[in-house]
Amino acid sequence: DVKVTQSSRYLVKRTGEKVFLECVQDMDHENMFWYRQDPGLGLRLIYFSYDVKMKEKGDIPEGYSVSREKKERFSLILESASTNQTSMYLCASRGGGSNQPQHFGDGTRLSIL
Amino acid sequence: GEDVEQSLFLSVREGDSSVINCTYTDSSSTYLYWYKQEPGAGLQLLTYIFSNMDMKQDQRLTVLLNKKDKHLSLRIADTQTGDSAIYFCAEVPSNDYKLSFGAGTTVTVRA
């Protein structure tokens, strides 16, 4: 089974802090994704990466950046956290080929005070 | 989620069948997915269907696809309390990596 591991289940940070959310997958997947989930809005794509050192903006990239130095790890960075970034963050990975589904981690619930 | 629409809530009696509906807009979508999210957890892939199929059955789950109407449904037979969760419909257009999700349907199973 695919295993996508997010480093923290719960995280509390302060406004203005730099925040790192880490995600690791063990299936040698090319593609990795970061979403945020908010009530009534479903999942919205922040950034995705289709290869090491490659990244593309999703639908809501403002206030975020990402890093993919190794194939198995995809990091989401909040450069200067704000209260409107309080949310559930979900990481996913996907193998190559159009029929491959995305596999999700358990999520990180981030609170910015 | 604006391209994929789902009703937000469904209440069903234990032992009955649940039907969760979804409409999508991208006619080039190749695969359509159903994910389940239990409280405090990530999304678990339940099943998926390729766009050239009408139906797919997997144990208690039946997926129906009406490509003409761009309508997808998930039927859960003999619904159990463990089926209480949020269910997301998602599509991926051809030649794209990204999934478009609906807002999710919260299914509540009552005794």
CSV table of all heavy atoms in Angstrom, one decimal, chain A residues 55-99:
chain,number,residue,atom,x,y,z
A,55,LYS,N,8.0,22.6,-9.8
A,55,LYS,CA,6.8,23.0,-9.1
A,55,LYS,C,5.9,23.8,-10.0
A,55,LYS,O,6.4,24.5,-10.9
A,55,LYS,CB,7.1,23.7,-7.8
A,55,LYS,CG,7.8,25.1,-8.1
A,55,LYS,CD,8.3,25.7,-6.8
A,55,LYS,CE,9.0,27.0,-7.1
A,55,LYS,NZ,9.5,27.7,-5.9
A,56,GLU,N,4.6,23.7,-9.7
A,56,GLU,CA,3.6,24.5,-10.4
A,56,GLU,C,2.6,25.0,-9.4
A,56,GLU,O,2.2,24.3,-8.5
A,56,GLU,CB,2.9,23.7,-11.5
A,56,GLU,CG,3.8,23.6,-12.8
A,56,GLU,CD,3.0,23.2,-14.0
A,56,GLU,OE1,1.8,23.6,-14.1
A,56,GLU,OE2,3.5,22.5,-14.8
A,57,LYS,N,2.1,26.2,-9.7
A,57,LYS,CA,1.1,26.8,-8.8
A,57,LYS,C,-0.2,26.1,-9.1
A,57,LYS,O,-0.6,25.8,-10.2
A,57,LYS,CB,1.0,28.3,-9.1
A,57,LYS,CG,2.2,29.1,-8.7
A,57,LYS,CD,2.0,30.6,-9.0
A,57,LYS,CE,3.3,31.4,-8.6
A,57,LYS,NZ,3.1,32.8,-9.0
A,58,GLY,N,-0.9,26.0,-8.0
A,58,GLY,CA,-2.3,25.5,-8.1
A,58,GLY,C,-3.3,26.6,-8.1
A,58,GLY,O,-3.0,27.7,-8.7
A,59,ASP,N,-4.4,26.5,-7.5
A,59,ASP,CA,-5.4,27.5,-7.5
A,59,ASP,C,-5.3,28.6,-6.5
A,59,ASP,O,-5.7,29.7,-6.7
A,59,ASP,CB,-6.8,26.8,-7.3
A,59,ASP,CG,-7.1,25.8,-8.4
A,59,ASP,OD1,-6.8,26.0,-9.6
A,59,ASP,OD2,-7.6,24.7,-8.0
A,60,ILE,N,-4.6,28.3,-5.4
A,60,ILE,CA,-4.5,29.3,-4.3
A,60,ILE,C,-3.0,29.4,-3.8
A,60,ILE,O,-2.8,29.1,-2.6
A,60,ILE,CB,-5.5,29.1,-3.2
A,60,ILE,CG1,-5.4,27.6,-2.7
A,60,ILE,CG2,-6.9,29.4,-3.6
A,60,ILE,CD1,-6.0,27.4,-1.3
A,61,PRO,N,-2.0,29.8,-4.6
A,61,PRO,CA,-0.6,29.7,-4.2
A,61,PRO,C,-0.2,30.9,-3.3
A,61,PRO,O,0.9,30.8,-2.7
A,61,PRO,CB,0.1,29.7,-5.5
A,61,PRO,CG,-0.8,30.5,-6.4
A,61,PRO,CD,-2.2,30.2,-6.0
A,62,GLU,N,-1.0,31.9,-3.2
A,62,GLU,CA,-0.6,33.2,-2.6
A,62,GLU,C,-0.3,32.9,-1.1
A,62,GLU,O,-1.1,32.3,-0.4
A,62,GLU,CB,-1.6,34.3,-2.7
A,62,GLU,CG,-1.9,34.7,-4.2
A,62,GLU,CD,-2.7,33.8,-5.0
A,62,GLU,OE1,-3.5,32.9,-4.3
A,62,GLU,OE2,-2.7,33.8,-6.2
A,63,GLY,N,0.9,33.4,-0.6
A,63,GLY,CA,1.2,33.2,0.8
A,63,GLY,C,2.0,31.9,1.1
A,63,GLY,O,2.3,31.7,2.2
A,64,TYR,N,2.1,31.1,0.0
A,64,TYR,CA,2.8,29.8,0.2
A,64,TYR,C,4.0,29.6,-0.8
A,64,TYR,O,4.0,30.2,-1.9
A,64,TYR,CB,1.8,28.6,-0.1
A,64,TYR,CG,0.6,28.6,0.8
A,64,TYR,CD1,-0.6,29.3,0.3
A,64,TYR,CD2,0.6,28.0,2.0
A,64,TYR,CE1,-1.7,29.3,1.1
A,64,TYR,CE2,-0.6,28.0,2.8
A,64,TYR,CZ,-1.7,28.6,2.3
A,64,TYR,OH,-2.9,28.6,3.1
A,65,SER,N,4.9,28.8,-0.4
A,65,SER,CA,5.9,28.3,-1.4
A,65,SER,C,6.1,26.8,-1.1
A,65,SER,O,5.6,26.3,-0.1
A,65,SER,CB,7.2,29.1,-1.3
A,65,SER,OG,7.8,28.9,0.0
A,66,VAL,N,6.9,26.2,-2.0
A,66,VAL,CA,7.1,24.7,-1.8
A,66,VAL,C,8.6,24.4,-2.1
A,66,VAL,O,9.3,25.2,-2.8
A,66,VAL,CB,6.2,23.9,-2.7
A,66,VAL,CG1,4.8,23.9,-2.2
A,66,VAL,CG2,6.3,24.3,-4.1
A,67,SER,N,9.0,23.2,-1.7
A,67,SER,CA,10.3,22.8,-2.0
A,67,SER,C,10.3,21.3,-2.3
A,67,SER,O,9.7,20.5,-1.5
A,67,SER,CB,11.2,23.1,-0.8
A,67,SER,OG,12.5,22.5,-1.0
A,68,ARG,N,11.0,20.9,-3.3
A,68,ARG,CA,11.1,19.4,-3.6
A,68,ARG,C,12.5,19.1,-4.0
A,68,ARG,O,12.9,19.1,-5.2
A,68,ARG,CB,10.1,19.0,-4.7
A,68,ARG,CG,10.1,17.5,-4.9
A,68,ARG,CD,8.7,17.0,-5.0
A,68,ARG,NE,8.7,15.5,-5.1
A,68,ARG,CZ,8.1,14.9,-6.1
A,68,ARG,NH1,7.5,15.6,-7.1
A,68,ARG,NH2,8.1,13.6,-6.2
A,69,GLU,N,13.3,18.9,-3.0
A,69,GLU,CA,14.7,18.6,-3.3
A,69,GLU,C,15.0,17.1,-3.5
A,69,GLU,O,16.0,16.8,-4.2
A,69,GLU,CB,15.6,19.1,-2.1
A,69,GLU,CG,15.5,20.6,-1.9
A,69,GLU,CD,16.2,21.3,-3.1
A,69,GLU,OE1,17.2,20.9,-3.6
A,69,GLU,OE2,15.6,22.3,-3.5
A,70,LYS,N,14.1,16.3,-2.9
A,70,LYS,CA,14.2,14.9,-3.1
A,70,LYS,C,12.9,14.3,-3.6
A,70,LYS,O,11.8,14.9,-3.3
A,70,LYS,CB,14.6,14.1,-1.8
A,70,LYS,CG,16.1,14.5,-1.4
A,70,LYS,CD,16.4,13.7,-0.2
A,70,LYS,CE,17.9,14.0,0.2
A,70,LYS,NZ,18.3,13.2,1.4
A,71,LYS,N,12.9,13.2,-4.3
A,71,LYS,CA,11.7,12.7,-4.9
A,71,LYS,C,10.6,12.4,-3.9
A,71,LYS,O,9.4,12.6,-4.1
A,71,LYS,CB,12.0,11.5,-5.8
A,71,LYS,CG,10.9,11.1,-6.7
A,71,LYS,CD,11.3,10.0,-7.6
A,71,LYS,CE,10.3,9.7,-8.7
A,71,LYS,NZ,10.7,8.6,-9.6
A,72,GLU,N,11.1,11.9,-2.8
A,72,GLU,CA,10.1,11.4,-1.8
A,72,GLU,C,9.5,12.5,-0.9
A,72,GLU,O,8.6,12.2,-0.1
A,72,GLU,CB,10.7,10.3,-0.9
A,72,GLU,CG,11.9,10.8,0.0
A,72,GLU,CD,13.2,10.7,-0.6
A,72,GLU,OE1,13.3,10.6,-1.9
A,72,GLU,OE2,14.2,10.7,0.1
A,73,ARG,N,10.1,13.7,-0.9
A,73,ARG,CA,9.7,14.7,0.1
A,73,ARG,C,9.2,16.0,-0.6
A,73,ARG,O,9.9,16.5,-1.5
A,73,ARG,CB,10.9,15.0,1.0
A,73,ARG,CG,10.6,15.9,2.1
A,73,ARG,CD,11.9,16.2,2.9
A,73,ARG,NE,12.3,15.0,3.6
A,73,ARG,CZ,12.0,14.5,4.8
A,73,ARG,NH1,11.1,15.3,5.5
A,73,ARG,NH2,12.4,13.4,5.3
A,74,PHE,N,8.1,16.5,-0.1
A,74,PHE,CA,7.5,17.7,-0.7
A,74,PHE,C,7.1,18.6,0.5
A,74,PHE,O,6.3,18.2,1.3
A,74,PHE,CB,6.3,17.4,-1.5
A,74,PHE,CG,5.8,18.5,-2.4
A,74,PHE,CD1,6.6,19.4,-3.0
A,74,PHE,CD2,4.4,18.6,-2.7
A,74,PHE,CE1,6.1,20.4,-3.8
A,74,PHE,CE2,3.9,19.6,-3.5
A,74,PHE,CZ,4.8,20.5,-4.0
A,75,SER,N,7.7,19.7,0.6
A,75,SER,CA,7.5,20.6,1.7
A,75,SER,C,6.7,21.8,1.3
A,75,SER,O,6.9,22.4,0.3
A,75,SER,CB,8.9,21.1,2.3
A,75,SER,OG,9.7,20.0,2.7
A,76,LEU,N,5.8,22.2,2.2
A,76,LEU,CA,5.0,23.4,2.0
A,76,LEU,C,5.5,24.4,3.1
A,76,LEU,O,5.6,24.1,4.2
A,76,LEU,CB,3.5,23.1,2.3
A,76,LEU,CG,2.5,24.3,2.1
A,76,LEU,CD1,2.4,24.7,0.7
A,76,LEU,CD2,1.2,23.9,2.7
A,77,ILE,N,5.7,25.7,2.6
A,77,ILE,CA,6.3,26.7,3.4
A,77,ILE,C,5.3,27.9,3.5
A,77,ILE,O,4.9,28.4,2.4
A,77,ILE,CB,7.6,27.1,2.9
A,77,ILE,CG1,8.5,25.9,2.8
A,77,ILE,CG2,8.3,28.2,3.8
A,77,ILE,CD1,9.7,26.1,1.8
A,78,LEU,N,5.0,28.3,4.7
A,78,LEU,CA,4.3,29.6,4.9
A,78,LEU,C,5.3,30.6,5.3
A,78,LEU,O,5.9,30.5,6.4
A,78,LEU,CB,3.2,29.4,6.0
A,78,LEU,CG,1.9,28.6,5.7
A,78,LEU,CD1,2.2,27.1,5.5
A,78,LEU,CD2,0.9,28.8,6.8
A,79,GLU,N,5.6,31.5,4.4
A,79,GLU,CA,6.7,32.4,4.7
A,79,GLU,C,6.5,33.3,5.9
A,79,GLU,O,7.4,33.5,6.7
A,79,GLU,CB,7.0,33.3,3.4
A,79,GLU,CG,7.4,32.5,2.2
A,79,GLU,CD,8.8,31.9,2.3
A,79,GLU,OE1,9.6,32.4,3.2
A,79,GLU,OE2,9.2,31.0,1.5
A,80,SER,N,5.3,33.8,6.0
A,80,SER,CA,4.9,34.6,7.2
A,80,SER,C,3.5,34.3,7.5
A,80,SER,O,2.6,34.9,6.9
A,80,SER,CB,5.1,36.1,6.8
A,80,SER,OG,4.7,36.9,7.9
A,81,ALA,N,3.3,33.4,8.4
A,81,ALA,CA,1.9,32.9,8.7
A,81,ALA,C,0.9,34.0,9.1
A,81,ALA,O,1.3,34.9,9.8
A,81,ALA,CB,2.0,31.8,9.8
A,82,SER,N,-0.3,33.8,8.6
A,82,SER,CA,-1.4,34.7,8.9
A,82,SER,C,-2.6,33.9,9.4
A,82,SER,O,-2.7,32.7,9.1
A,82,SER,CB,-1.7,35.6,7.8
A,82,SER,OG,-2.2,34.8,6.7
A,83,THR,N,-3.5,34.5,10.1
A,83,THR,CA,-4.6,33.8,10.7
A,83,THR,C,-5.5,33.2,9.7
A,83,THR,O,-6.1,32.1,9.9
A,83,THR,CB,-5.4,34.7,11.6
A,83,THR,OG1,-5.8,35.9,10.9
A,83,THR,CG2,-4.6,35.2,12.9
A,84,ASN,N,-5.5,33.8,8.5
A,84,ASN,CA,-6.4,33.2,7.4
A,84,ASN,C,-5.8,31.9,6.8
A,84,ASN,O,-6.4,31.3,5.9
A,84,ASN,CB,-6.8,34.2,6.4
A,84,ASN,CG,-5.6,34.7,5.6
A,84,ASN,OD1,-4.5,34.2,5.7
A,84,ASN,ND2,-5.8,35.8,4.8
A,85,GLN,N,-4.6,31.5,7.3
A,85,GLN,CA,-4.0,30.3,6.8
A,85,GLN,C,-4.3,29.1,7.8
A,85,GLN,O,-3.8,28.0,7.7
A,85,GLN,CB,-2.5,30.5,6.6
A,85,GLN,CG,-2.2,31.4,5.4
A,85,GLN,CD,-0.7,31.6,5.2
A,85,GLN,OE1,0.0,32.0,6.1
A,85,GLN,NE2,-0.3,31.4,4.0
A,86,THR,N,-5.1,29.4,8.8
A,86,THR,CA,-5.5,28.4,9.7
A,86,THR,C,-6.4,27.4,8.9
A,86,THR,O,-7.4,27.9,8.3
A,86,THR,CB,-6.3,28.9,10.9
A,86,THR,OG1,-5.4,29.7,11.8
A,86,THR,CG2,-7.0,27.8,11.7
A,87,SER,N,-6.1,26.1,8.9
A,87,SER,CA,-6.8,25.2,8.0
A,87,SER,C,-6.3,23.8,8.2
A,87,SER,O,-5.3,23.6,8.9
A,87,SER,CB,-6.6,25.6,6.5
A,87,SER,OG,-7.4,24.9,5.6
A,88,MET,N,-6.9,22.9,7.5
A,88,MET,CA,-6.4,21.5,7.4
A,88,MET,C,-5.6,21.4,6.1
A,88,MET,O,-6.1,21.8,5.0
A,88,MET,CB,-7.6,20.5,7.4
A,88,MET,CG,-7.2,19.1,7.0
A,88,MET,SD,-6.3,18.3,8.4
A,88,MET,CE,-7.5,17.0,8.8
A,89,TYR,N,-4.4,20.9,6.2
A,89,TYR,CA,-3.5,20.8,5.0
A,89,TYR,C,-3.3,19.3,4.7
A,89,TYR,O,-3.0,18.5,5.6
A,89,TYR,CB,-2.2,21.5,5.3
A,89,TYR,CG,-2.3,23.0,5.3
A,89,TYR,CD1,-2.6,23.7,6.5
A,89,TYR,CD2,-2.2,23.7,4.1
A,89,TYR,CE1,-2.8,25.0,6.5
A,89,TYR,CE2,-2.3,25.1,4.1
A,89,TYR,CZ,-2.6,25.8,5.3
A,89,TYR,OH,-2.8,27.1,5.3
A,90,LEU,N,-3.5,19.0,3.4
A,90,LEU,CA,-3.5,17.6,3.0
A,90,LEU,C,-2.4,17.5,1.9
A,90,LEU,O,-2.4,18.3,0.9
A,90,LEU,CB,-4.8,17.1,2.5
A,90,LEU,CG,-5.9,17.0,3.5
A,90,LEU,CD1,-7.3,16.9,2.9
A,90,LEU,CD2,-5.7,15.7,4.4
A,91,CYS,N,-1.6,16.5,2.0
A,91,CYS,CA,-0.6,16.2,1.0
A,91,CYS,C,-1.0,14.9,0.3
A,91,CYS,O,-1.7,14.0,0.9
A,91,CYS,CB,0.8,15.9,1.7
A,91,CYS,SG,2.1,15.4,0.6
A,92,ALA,N,-0.7,14.8,-1.0
A,92,ALA,CA,-1.0,13.7,-1.8
A,92,ALA,C,0.1,13.4,-2.7
A,92,ALA,O,0.9,14.2,-3.1
A,92,ALA,CB,-2.3,13.9,-2.6
A,93,SER,N,0.2,12.1,-3.2
A,93,SER,CA,1.2,11.7,-4.2
A,93,SER,C,0.5,10.8,-5.2
A,93,SER,O,-0.6,10.2,-4.9
A,93,SER,CB,2.4,11.0,-3.6
A,93,SER,OG,2.1,9.7,-3.2
A,94,ARG,N,1.1,10.8,-6.4
A,94,ARG,CA,0.5,10.0,-7.5
A,94,ARG,C,1.6,9.5,-8.4
A,94,ARG,O,2.5,10.3,-8.7
A,94,ARG,CB,-0.4,11.0,-8.2
A,94,ARG,CG,-1.0,10.4,-9.5
A,94,ARG,CD,-1.9,11.5,-10.1
A,94,ARG,NE,-2.5,11.1,-11.4
A,94,ARG,CZ,-2.0,11.3,-12.6
A,94,ARG,NH1,-0.8,11.9,-12.7
A,94,ARG,NH2,-2.6,10.9,-13.7
A,95,GLY,N,1.5,8.3,-8.9
A,95,GLY,CA,2.4,7.8,-9.8
A,95,GLY,C,2.2,8.3,-11.2
A,95,GLY,O,1.2,9.0,-11.4
A,96,GLY,N,3.1,7.9,-12.1
A,96,GLY,CA,2.9,8.4,-13.5
A,96,GLY,C,1.8,7.6,-14.2
A,96,GLY,O,1.3,6.5,-13.7
A,97,GLY,N,1.3,8.0,-15.3
A,97,GLY,CA,0.2,7.3,-16.0
A,97,GLY,C,-1.1,8.0,-15.6
A,97,GLY,O,-1.4,8.3,-14.5
A,98,SER,N,-2.0,8.1,-16.7
A,98,SER,CA,-3.2,8.9,-16.5
A,98,SER,C,-4.2,8.2,-15.6
A,98,SER,O,-5.2,8.8,-15.1
A,98,SER,CB,-3.9,9.2,-17.8
A,98,SER,OG,-4.1,8.0,-18.5
A,99,ASN,N,-4.1,6.9,-15.3
A,99,ASN,CA,-5.1,6.1,-14.6
A,99,ASN,C,-4.7,6.0,-13.1
A,99,ASN,O,-5.3,5.3,-12.3
A,99,ASN,CB,-5.3,4.7,-15.1
A,99,ASN,CG,-4.0,3.9,-15.1
A,99,ASN,OD1,-2.9,4.4,-14.9
A,99,ASN,ND2,-4.2,2.6,-15.1
